[in-house]
Amino acid sequence: MKRLSLIIPCYNEALSLPVLVRELEDTLAQIPDIEYEILFVDDGSSDDSLEVIETLAAAHPFVRYISFSRNFGKESAIVAGFEHVGGDYVAVMDADMQDPPKLLPAMLKAVTDEGYECAGARRVNRKGEPPIRSFFARLFYCVINMISDVNLVDGARDYKLLSRKVVDALLRMPEYNRFSKGMYEWIGFRTKWIEYENVERVAGESKWSFWKLFKYSLEAVFSFSTVPLSLAFVMGLAFLLGSLAMIVFLILREYLYHVSAYGWTSLVCLILFVCGVQLFCLGIIGQYLAKTYLEVKRRPHYIVEKQNLRQ
Ligand code: UDP
Ligand code: MG
């Protein structure tokens, strides 16, 4: 019998977890010939999530968990999941029911019967989301697809069902700065997108503030594109050539017509502008340097404090 492993990162999701397990049990019971396990990755929750998970694990033999020593972020929780599950198929889903369990049978069918290696859920709308957030999300997809090789699908969730091949490919990417939406695209494989209407979370609140999302989108840019570096180069070159042309022009004008510009306002403006451009370019280089610094340290993605994997 084939095995399906579900990886569920949880950060302060105590209220959602029992609802989720109930719904998953109902849904998975309808799929014939499949054995399943649920791996909760408690990402250093400060509420009762771990206690709730332990209670669920005591009541259900298919519930496993890993609990981190602190909050390491969802991406690290997903890595931990991939490293600890043994299923022939692996699904990753959120704990808050925003990734509807009822899509699982169709996702599994795509991978088992329809020749896909990966099935992903895609929101067809962003109902319930503040319009300003949707606007910036659309802008982000537009920019990232323009400046990187990967083609990110707007509305694609991190809700995925993967074959073992895909999981093994992802495990071969040990990078520290992880942007999983880009990584799924980067490894390739045929993906079936299953569309659904946006669902609001069942309890608690989103951990993604606007600022966190902004940082996450920069992560995407700096992890999957080197265009900003080329931009710094092109801007630097344009300013260099422009200033050389200006110097030649000023020398000629002084030599031929004996008129020099005495105004300093324009000069100050120019200096400030060029300084700004230089700092901006340095900042871009700094971003890549900072990422490289984190990569070369080779720190683990997470530290486990408690788990029930070897029971
Ligand atoms: N999550 C996590 N670590 C974090 C933040 C979030 O494991 O530091 C989990 C969270 O418990 C949920 C999933 O990642 O299962 C998605 O988080 P959230 O619902 O806050 O994101 P949104 O749906 O608003 O994008
Ligand atoms: Mg959510």
Side-chain angles (χ1 to χ4, degrees):
M1 195 155 31
K2 296 277 189 189
R3 278 187 80 194
L4 168 67
S5 304
L6 291 148
I7 300 172
I8 306 181
C10 322
Y11 179 53
N12 295 346
E13 302 283 6
L15 296 175
S16 322
L17 296 176
V19 187
L20 178 68
V21 170
R22 214 173 313 129
E23 182 114 350
L24 279 174
E25 235 184 330
D26 287 350
T27 311
L28 294 169
Q30 291 162 18
I31 307 177
D33 300 329
I34 199 96
E35 204 180 282
Y36 61 91
E37 63 168 348
I38 301 178
L39 176 67
F40 287 112
V41 185
D42 168 37
D43 186 13
S45 299
S46 52
D47 69 351
D48 297 335
S49 296
L50 182 57
E51 286 77 13
V52 173
I53 294 172
E54 283 175 328
T55 315
L56 288 168
H60 305 284
F62 53 81
V63 173
R64 308 247 179 283
Y65 70 86
I66 304 174
S67 176
F68 289 173
S69 58
R70 67 166 172 87
N71 179 243
F72 281 88
K74 181 180 172 185
E75 297 285 348
S76 302
I78 296 176
V79 177
F82 284 150
E83 286 176 353
H84 290 93
V85 292
D88 304 291
Y89 308 106
V90 176
V92 182
M93 68 194 298
D94 286 0
D96 57 6
M97 302 278 291
Q98 278 195 300
D99 295 337
K102 64 176 190 303
L103 299 183
L104 277 173
M107 290 167 89
L108 189 66
K109 191 160 165 272
V111 179
T112 50
D113 302 344
E114 295 169 16
Y116 293 93
E117 293 294 338
C118 174
R122 184 171 169 245
R123 294 192 292 191
V124 281
N125 59 18
R126 292 174 169 271
K127 209 172 65 195
E129 198 180 67
I132 184 87
R133 187 162 154 172
S134 307
F135 169 77
F136 279 107
R138 293 224 166 81
L139 184 72
F140 163 71
Y141 281 108
C142 204
V143 172
I144 190 79
N145 285 336
M146 227 157 52
I147 65 171
S148 74
D149 293 338
V150 292
N151 182 32
L152 298 188
V153 180
D154 185 7
R157 302 269 308 166
D158 284 343
Y159 184 17
K160 291 266 162 51
L161 193 143
L162 318 163
S163 69
R164 185 41 49 195
K165 246 187 246 172
V166 177
V167 176
D168 288 343
L170 288 168
L171 282 173
R172 286 180 57 200
M173 297 174 85
E175 58 213 66
Y176 194 78
N177 298 288
R178 298 180 86 83
F179 176 69
S180 55
K181 283 192 176 69
M183 293 168 70
Y184 288 127
E185 290 300 317
W186 189 88
I187 54 169
F189 294 112
R190 259 158 58 84
T191 299
K192 177 166 184 180
W193 291 105
I194 294 171
E195 302 193 336
Y196 74 106
E197 294 259 326
N198 192 26
V199 188
E200 294 196 35
R201 55 164 44 242
V202 67
E205 53 192 43
S206 172
K207 278 87 200 169
W208 293 91
S209 61
F210 190 78
W211 177 237
K212 258 185 151 178
L213 277 174
F214 178 68
K215 281 198 340 206
Y216 191 58
S217 50
L218 286 187
E219 178 80 56
V221 172
F222 293 120
S223 298
F224 279 92
S225 171
T226 48
V227 168
L229 277 177
S230 323
L231 194 76
F233 173 76
V234 171
M235 265 201 298
L237 192 68
F239 272 90
L240 186 72
L241 293 178
S243 59
L244 278 177
M246 256 170 86
I247 291 168
V248 171
F249 169 73
L250 290 176
I251 291 176
L252 282 180
R253 193 172 67 169
E254 176 59 25
Y255 185 69
L256 294 176
Y257 304 108
H258 306 291
V259 277
S260 291
Y262 293 109
W264 57 271
T265 320
S266 51
L267 200 65
V268 170
C269 291
L270 261 179
I271 290 173
L272 282 180
F273 182 61
V274 173
C275 283
V277 170
Q278 276 181 344
L279 275 180
F280 179 69
C281 296
L282 258 182
I284 291 176
I285 296 165
Q287 285 291 333
Y288 285 96
L289 189 68
K291 299 274 171 217
T292 315
Y293 177 58
L294 283 176
E295 291 294 343
V296 295
K297 280 203 273 193
R298 286 267 157 262
R299 284 192 180 154
H301 290 276
Y302 56 88
I303 306 283
V304 175
E305 186 174 334
K306 214 169 169 195
Q307 42 129 324
N308 75 338
L309 297 178
R310 268 175 249 104
Q311 271 181 5

